[in-house]
Amino acid sequence: MTNTAISVDSISKHFGKTVALAENFSIEIAKGQSLAILGANGAGKTTLMRAVLGLAVPDTGNISLYGLSPSDPRSRIGVRFLPERISFPKWATPLQMYRQLERVRNEGREMDFVHRADNLACGDLLSRKLGKMSKGQRQRIAVALMTCGTPHTVFLDEPSSGLDPAGRMLVRSTVAELVDQGSTVVLNSHLLGEVEKVCDWASFIHKGALVAHDRLEDLSQFKGNAVIETLKPDIMKAALNHTGTVKEKTLVYPLASEDGFAEFTALVAGSGVEFTGIKLHKESLEDIFMRIMEGETNVS
Amino acid sequence: MFLNALEHMARRKLLLIVGILSLCYLLLFWRGIASVNSQSLGAESGIPTSNADMAYAALSIAGSMLSVVVWGLTIVLGASILPDEMEAGRMSIWAALPQSRFKVYASTTLAPLIVSIVFGYLLFGLTAVITAFYAPFTPSSIPLAVLSMPIWLSATWAFVILFSMIVGKIPAMLITFILEGFAVGMGNIVELAKGVPDLHESTFYTVARIVTFILPFERGYRSVQMGLLPKASLLEEALAFMGFGGDLPLWEIIYPGVWAAILFFIGYRLFLRKDL
């Protein structure tokens, strides 16, 4: 039995003369993977998501969702999609919307939705008309509608759009919960700090082309340092031949390569100075994003 | 999905407005028909008239007014449903659920047709009932009137839905209104020619015949009236001489339904290729 959840094979998509997805766009997403799709505005991230769900018809190529064509309704059983922009009918309450969705998908229980709404701090809004809610409240409801129960695959297009910091944190923990329960999560977001916390994989799209697709840890490059967390950074520095830079409660120590990290850890442990953590200094997702996108911009 | 679409449809203020106006109309019609009697119809000419004549006159006059209401409702609801759902971003949610695009398309578009047909039945049916109360009559063929209603409205519905996907909501409404008016005018010429055989030779008649074939919006309405209006009235005979209310061949009764089915299918093909 294949482990592939989503397979995109050599597709392309144009809107008139505008290239949304360049020729031979291919990507594979494994079951249970949490993937962030990253790129500048208009790079083709949303189009990719829509093509996978059968909402946008590619000009060329093939897509399969759990081995089935997106045109086959069975491919979307257990699949959820939260679009970037959605306007609910003003007359409807969240519970009415949930019941409308369930009439078709028939996958969940109302208590799961109520539970999810409670987790997103919008459980008290379930009987209020959506037309009488703020944008942020509606977005929380939308996230609850699309993530309740146990979907096996979830596509989220800018789920934190319009949310306050507390709301973003709740959405992030919702996504983390989905990842923990084994759902395949495809996330499109510009909030790199949040993406970094919930996704294991990232795909970078530039002008409709896939320029990088890998595990975040493999995409992140070594920045030439090890970081030691200690309450006594000055004493630690002295113990390590007065090498490195003290930054608050850390000592940033230069390392020639990642290979020497194990040996260096032993050296730190043998120094006799207390420390709470030690790690390689690697690029953050923001660093990776800037490096890849700047590289692509320079190339193109 | 069909229930969802009906629920969305039922919440529209337009339906409430049309409902209230329809009630007002029915009350007025009731008051109007209650104030006349069949004898007064022929009082001026001295021709003795019957209840059937009165029913014929009442239903002919009311019918043309009701047809505009039901046509208008079909056009406005039909033109709104797909563009509104797409513009609101909801269509992508419905289409991303485990259901085929055909189901999404058919369920969403059938809802306004069903609502229009129900309105049509209620308006024409209640008008006929009120009429029969004051001027007892026997409709020519109730089954024909009942069967013709969906056929009549489906032609307008399929056309406006197809055009709403091509040109958008408002232009689709305007185009349909204009073409409906044109088709009704041409249909009148075709009917008139039934009583004036010389007209058959004219180019005008040929054009009118082609128009009723290309745009069969009013054929169905005529067959609704054909089934509803009483037989054996003086007015029927008089108007039949002029072509109005004359019989339609079976193929002309069925044809608008076939035409609507073809347009519905073309609309589906367009919807299938649309990015939602």
Side-chain angles (χ1 to χ4, degrees):
Chain A
M1 195 170 160
T2 174
N3 192 40
T4 305
I6 298 155
S7 169
V8 176
D9 181 20
S10 307
I11 65 164
S12 65
K13 176 72 182 170
H14 296 76
F15 294 113
K17 286 180 182 172
T18 309
V19 179
L21 290 173
E23 298 300 320
N24 296 321
F25 188 107
S26 299
I27 189 170
E28 283 214 348
I29 301 169
K31 286 176 188 166
Q33 201 172 86
S34 50
L35 172 78
I37 302 177
L38 306 168
N41 292 328
K45 307 182 296 290
T46 298
T47 305
L48 173 64
M49 232 181 220
R50 288 177 172 270
V52 169
L53 287 160
L55 302 173
V57 187
D59 303 330
T60 57
N62 295 304
I63 296 173
S64 82
L65 197 52
Y66 293 90
L68 297 167
S69 161
S71 61
D72 186 336
R74 291 173 302 164
S75 68
R76 293 187 295 279
I77 294 172
V79 175
R80 304 284 173 79
F81 171 52
L82 176 70
E84 183 181 4
R85 193 182 64 86
I86 172 173
S87 155
F88 290 112
K90 288 178 182 169
W91 55 264
T93 65
L95 279 174
Q96 283 172 319
M97 277 312 294
Y98 171 79
R99 285 167 196 152
Q100 289 210 342
L101 290 168
E102 281 304 312
R103 270 181 201 149
V104 181
R105 64 190 184 196
N106 201 20
E107 290 168 2
R109 296 169 304 168
E110 197 162 295
M111 59 182 288
D112 292 333
F113 170 58
V114 174
H115 177 68
R116 180 69 81 205
D118 283 339
N119 286 350
L120 285 158
C122 56
D124 56 331
L125 302 173
L126 299 185
S127 299
R128 191 190 290 183
K129 286 185 177 171
L130 284 149
K132 292 187 175 169
M133 290 185 197
S134 70
K135 188 171 184 274
Q137 287 173 326
R138 281 197 300 270
Q139 186 65 17
R140 286 180 196 220
I141 293 293
V143 173
L145 283 168
M146 297 308 166
T147 59
C148 59
T150 51
H152 63 64
T153 304
V154 184
F155 293 84
L156 302 167
D157 197 354
E158 298 290 355
S160 299
S161 168
L163 290 179
D164 55 24
R168 284 180 197 169
M169 211 168 73
L170 292 172
V171 168
R172 195 174 66 213
S173 61
T174 300
V175 177
E177 200 179 308
L178 290 168
V179 173
D180 288 345
Q181 74 186 26
S183 301
T184 307
V185 175
V186 182
L187 178 64
N188 179 1
S189 174
H190 287 295
L191 301 171
L192 300 182
E194 298 195 349
V195 165
E196 194 169 26
K197 286 176 183 145
V198 291
C199 291
D200 302 327
W201 284 69
S203 295
F204 288 83
I205 301 179
H206 181 69
K207 292 185 178 174
L210 184 68
V211 292
H213 173 68
D214 210 337
R215 284 184 170 277
L216 275 181
E217 60 188 45
D218 294 332
L219 285 167
S220 178
Q221 289 182 355
F222 175 54
K223 294 189 85 170
N225 299 307
V227 180
I228 308 156
E229 292 167 8
T230 170
L231 294 171
K232 299 165 185 168
D234 293 314
I235 298 173
M236 180 65 84
K237 183 177 175 181
L240 298 172
N241 300 325
H242 296 280
T243 310
T245 311
V246 174
K247 282 185 182 170
E248 294 178 356
K249 292 203 168 58
T250 61
L251 175 69
V252 181
Y253 191 91
L255 269 187
S257 76
E258 289 178 81
D259 299 337
F261 185 63
E263 195 181 325
F264 176 69
T265 305
L267 181 68
V268 171
S271 68
V273 183
E274 286 181 26
F275 66 100
T276 54
I278 181 165
K279 62 183 179 186
L280 282 170
H281 186 194
K282 297 185 86 171
E283 287 178 309
S284 67
L285 185 55
E286 197 171 282
D287 296 329
I288 304 168
F289 183 86
M290 294 312 291
R291 172 171 52 82
I292 291 177
M293 289 305 153
E294 275 172 15
E296 285 303 318
T297 307
N298 292 339
V299 169
S300 57
Chain B
M1 183 64 206
F2 178 67
L3 285 178
N4 290 348
L6 267 187
E7 199 173 343
H8 282 258
M9 195 101 294
R11 301 281 180 161
R12 287 178 177 248
K13 285 198 182 87
L14 175 70
L15 282 192
L16 186 67
I17 295 166
V18 173
I20 292 168
L21 288 176
S22 301
L23 273 179
C24 292
Y25 150 79
L26 287 168
L27 283 171
L28 281 173
F29 183 76
W30 194 322
R31 299 275 299 167
I33 200 163
S35 65
V36 293
N37 66 61
S38 60
Q39 305 308 316
S40 62
L41 264 183
E44 296 251 329
S45 60
I47 301 169
T49 51
S50 63
N51 280 332
D53 293 314
M54 184 167 144
Y56 196 101
L59 290 174
S60 302
I61 294 165
S64 47
M65 194 166 73
L66 292 182
S67 68
V68 175
V69 174
V70 182
W71 250 322
L73 186 68
T74 310
I75 290 170
V76 175
L77 290 182
S80 309
I81 188 77
L82 277 177
D84 282 357
E85 288 296 298
M86 282 196 237
E87 205 173 294
R90 285 193 291 274
M91 195 51 90
S92 59
I93 287 190
W94 302 128
L97 294 172
Q99 58 181 341
S100 66
R101 274 226 186 178
F102 180 76
K103 196 172 175 189
V104 176
Y105 175 74
S107 305
T108 317
T109 56
L110 278 171
L113 177 64
I114 298 293
V115 170
S116 304
I117 290 171
V118 168
F119 258 94
Y121 281 139
L122 282 175
L123 284 173
F124 278 84
L126 288 173
T127 302
V129 168
I130 294 168
T131 305
F133 189 74
Y134 291 97
F137 72 100
T138 309
S140 301
S141 167
I142 291 178
L144 177 65
V146 170
L147 286 173
S148 298
M149 184 72 74
I151 292 176
W152 163 38
L153 295 176
S154 65
T156 303
W157 160 82
F159 185 86
V160 80
I161 279 179
L162 176 63
F163 268 72
S164 72
M165 276 194 286
I166 297 170
V167 296
K169 183 164 114 179
I170 304 294
M173 283 187 208
L174 290 174
I175 290 169
T176 314
F177 269 120
I178 291 166
L179 291 180
E180 291 263 8
F182 184 56
V184 170
M186 292 296 113
N188 285 342
I189 300 296
V190 170
E191 293 305 305
L192 187 65
K194 287 179 181 170
V196 188
D198 289 352
L199 259 179
H200 287 238
E201 307 300 321
S202 72
T203 312
F204 193 31
Y205 173 77
T206 309
V207 170
R209 205 75 189 88
I210 291 169
V211 169
T212 55
F213 186 75
I214 297 172
L215 303 169
F217 297 128
E218 47 73 64
R219 297 283 92 185
Y221 167 62
R222 287 183 200 281
S223 55
V224 169
Q225 286 288 68
M226 216 168 88
L228 203 58
L229 293 173
K231 281 279 182 196
S233 83
L234 280 174
L235 282 179
E236 189 217 0
E237 284 174 26
L239 289 173
F241 175 72
M242 295 298 288
F244 295 105
D247 288 345
L248 290 181
L250 183 65
W251 77 266
E252 277 198 63
I253 294 170
I254 296 168
Y255 173 67
V258 176
W259 186 83
I262 293 167
L263 261 62
F264 177 73
F265 183 72
I266 295 171
Y268 168 61
R269 298 298 301 175
L270 274 181
F271 184 73
L272 200 57
R273 283 202 288 266
K274 237 177 172 39
D275 293 325
L276 302 174

